[in-house]
């Protein structure tokens, strides 16, 4: 797999969160990165993405949310995520 991971990829929701409300179980988001985080707490993992292997692509602990992808470049999926974020947090 080429590094950096650049382009569209599926994001699979692992657990429900208001930020992914009204989004499908698998959504396409835009990625540009050469690394990813490792989450030490399974209960904080929101989504996974496959790029040669599964990795955590978003996390949430309380009102803190982090995403590996770029919602601002992810068309309708990103706009819905940002709208949900603004409405709920």
């Amino acid at each position: 797999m080429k590094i950096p991971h650049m382009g569209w990829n599926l994001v699979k929701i692992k657990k429900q969160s208001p930020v992914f409300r009204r989004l499908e179980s698998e959504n396409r988001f835009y990625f540009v990165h050469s690394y990813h985080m490792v989450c030490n707490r399974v209960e904080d993992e929101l989504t996974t993405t496959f790029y040669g292997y599964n990795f955590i692509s978003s996390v949430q602990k309380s009102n803190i949310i982090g995403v590996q992808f770029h919602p601002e470049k992810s068309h309708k999926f990103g706009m819905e995520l940002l709208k949900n974020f603004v409405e709920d947090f």
Side-chain angles (χ1 to χ4, degrees):
M1 306 297 291
K2 286 184 144 193
I3 302 293
H5 173 196
M6 187 179 299
W8 294 94
N9 207 333
L10 294 175
V11 171
K12 184 175 182 182
I13 297 172
K14 287 186 67 175
K15 75 174 189 178
Q16 293 301 313
S17 168
V19 78
F20 284 100
R21 177 179 85 242
R22 294 187 301 265
L23 287 166
E24 302 163 18
S25 62
E26 289 189 351
N27 307 281
R28 288 172 36 99
F29 286 90
Y30 191 78
F31 287 79
V32 179
H33 63 85
S34 299
Y35 58 88
H36 64 84
M37 69 168 287
V38 175
C39 184
N40 293 328
R41 295 172 34 107
V42 173
E43 60 270 21
D44 295 338
E45 299 173 358
L46 284 182
T47 64
T48 60
T49 298
F50 183 82
Y51 189 71
Y53 55 91
N54 282 313
F55 65 91
I56 304 304
S57 51
S58 70
V59 293
Q60 178 178 0
K61 180 172 178 158
S62 190
N63 66 341
I64 300 168
I65 297 173
V67 297
Q68 184 71 43
F69 48 85
H70 290 266
E72 77 282 3
K73 294 188 172 283
S74 298
H75 298 290
K76 68 178 184 176
F77 300 114
M79 292 300 294
E80 192 65 38
L81 184 142
L82 292 171
K83 179 180 174 189
N84 291 342
F85 181 82
V86 168
E87 289 176 356
D88 293 322
F89 291 95

